[in-house]
């Protein structure tokens, strides 16, 4: 798997990441969502540099301008609900993309500590021979992303597969490298230290879904 770390150079990305982590800034859910969206825009721009392009001619009021555009159709697919703000950032740049949404959650066995990732709701267009971008802000264990990947790709084969996350833990990256094909691209805004005993990313930022949309039952 090809991994792209996009915060290695100083930019506004690191400014937005810092605000996301700040416990005082986190009290403003609108600011939190907006910064996730901005990180989505920055990641989308960086990712766009690696895509295949084709030559086109544009008719202007005064003549013809030769330029380029993305050669293939793009499908954005986010994991509900935490992925919605990041998805919006990608949509702002890939404004012609088709969009899909998938739910994934951890179900614990009754009376035990074991659990499994269930992928139940899926609303996505065909991505056969298209560029598929899977979107989820937090890469902790990696199990949800792998479960979604396996669910989506049972019958279709995209031309390219990109996974975009905001914060990743080394354990999650290792799990993706073990479980996904080598030709996948992983885009990471920033890499954190480790997972704690509850599988939260440290230092992380907490629960991205709750911070963006309120606590769930």
């Amino acid at each position: 798997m090809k991994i792209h770390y996009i915060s290695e150079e100083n930019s506004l990305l690191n400014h937005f990441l810092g605000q996301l982590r700040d416990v005082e800034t986190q009290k403003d859910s609108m600011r939190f969502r907006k910064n996730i969206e901005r990180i989505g825009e920055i990641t989308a721009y960086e990712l766009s540099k690696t895509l295949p392009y084709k030559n086109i001619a544009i008719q202007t009021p005064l003549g013809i301008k030769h330029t380029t555009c993305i050669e293939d159709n793009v499908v954005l697919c986010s994991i509900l609900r935490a992925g919605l703000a990041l998805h919006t950032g990608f949509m702002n740049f890939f404004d012609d993309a088709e969009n899909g949404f998938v739910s994934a959650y951890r179900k614990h066995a009754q009376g035990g500590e074991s659990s499994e990732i269930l992928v139940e709701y899926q609303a996505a267009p065909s991505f056969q021979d298209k560029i598929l971008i899977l979107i989820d802000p937090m890469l902790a264990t990696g199990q949800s992303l792998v479960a979604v990947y396996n669910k989506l790709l049972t019958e279709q084969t995209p031309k390219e597969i990109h996974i975009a996350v905001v914060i990743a833990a080394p354990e999650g990256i290792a799990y993706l490298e073990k479980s996904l094909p080598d030709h996948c691209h992983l885009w990471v805004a920033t890499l954190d230290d480790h997972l704690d005993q509850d599988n939260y990313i440290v230092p992380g930022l907490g629960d991205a879904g709750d911070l963006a949309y309120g606590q769930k039952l």
Side-chain angles (χ1 to χ4, degrees):
M1 183 170 61
K2 175 65 174 177
I3 305 176
H4 310 264
Y5 296 103
I6 60 176
S7 64
E8 293 180 337
E9 297 181 358
N10 286 326
S11 73
L12 278 173
L13 174 65
N14 290 328
H15 177 74
F16 298 142
L17 284 166
Q19 289 186 344
L20 283 179
R21 298 182 191 271
D22 191 295
V23 293
E24 292 300 318
T25 310
Q26 287 182 354
K27 296 175 183 178
D28 184 346
S29 60
M30 184 174 69
R31 170 63 67 87
F32 186 87
R33 291 193 303 271
K34 187 62 178 179
N35 281 342
I36 291 283
E37 179 182 336
R38 287 164 166 167
I39 292 170
E41 292 174 342
I42 293 170
T43 307
Y45 174 73
E46 295 297 329
L47 189 158
S48 74
K49 297 177 183 179
T50 70
L51 300 181
Y53 284 76
K54 63 182 179 181
N55 295 320
I56 60 171
I58 301 294
Q59 177 69 59
T60 81
L62 300 176
I64 300 293
K65 175 60 180 177
H66 294 277
T67 185
T68 60
C69 70
I70 296 176
E71 185 173 36
D72 302 294
N73 292 326
V74 174
V75 177
L76 307 174
C77 188
S78 64
I79 299 177
L80 299 174
R81 65 180 167 153
L84 291 175
L86 192 62
H87 189 114
T88 299
F90 270 83
M91 283 197 303
N92 291 344
F93 276 35
F94 290 105
D95 52 357
D96 291 330
E98 298 173 276
N99 296 272
F101 303 91
V102 180
S103 73
Y105 68 97
R106 186 179 300 277
K107 182 178 181 180
H108 293 273
Q110 188 173 4
E113 296 182 357
S114 62
S115 64
E116 61 176 329
I117 302 295
L118 295 184
V119 181
E120 294 185 340
Y121 176 81
Q122 175 183 334
S126 169
F127 45 81
Q128 181 68 36
D129 298 323
K130 300 175 184 178
I131 295 169
L132 175 63
I133 303 176
L134 292 176
I135 298 167
D136 195 17
M138 308 298 285
L139 174 56
T141 66
Q143 294 178 9
S144 294
L145 269 168
V146 170
V148 168
Y149 176 93
N150 291 335
K151 177 74 171 181
L152 289 175
L153 274 72
T154 54
E155 298 179 354
Q156 300 184 69
T157 304
K159 182 176 181 180
E160 293 185 17
I161 302 168
H162 298 263
I163 298 169
V165 304
V166 175
I167 299 177
E171 296 92 333
I173 291 178
Y175 187 73
L176 262 58
E177 288 183 307
K178 179 181 70 175
S179 305
L180 300 184
D182 292 339
H183 64 268
C184 290
H185 291 257
L186 174 62
W187 295 83
V188 180
T190 190
L191 176 65
D192 273 14
D193 296 340
H194 64 277
L195 298 178
D196 67 11
Q197 66 275 11
D198 297 315
N199 287 331
Y200 275 95
I201 301 174
V202 179
L205 51 74
D207 189 300
D210 287 356
L211 290 167
Y213 302 109
Q215 292 188 352
K216 55 187 175 292
L217 294 177

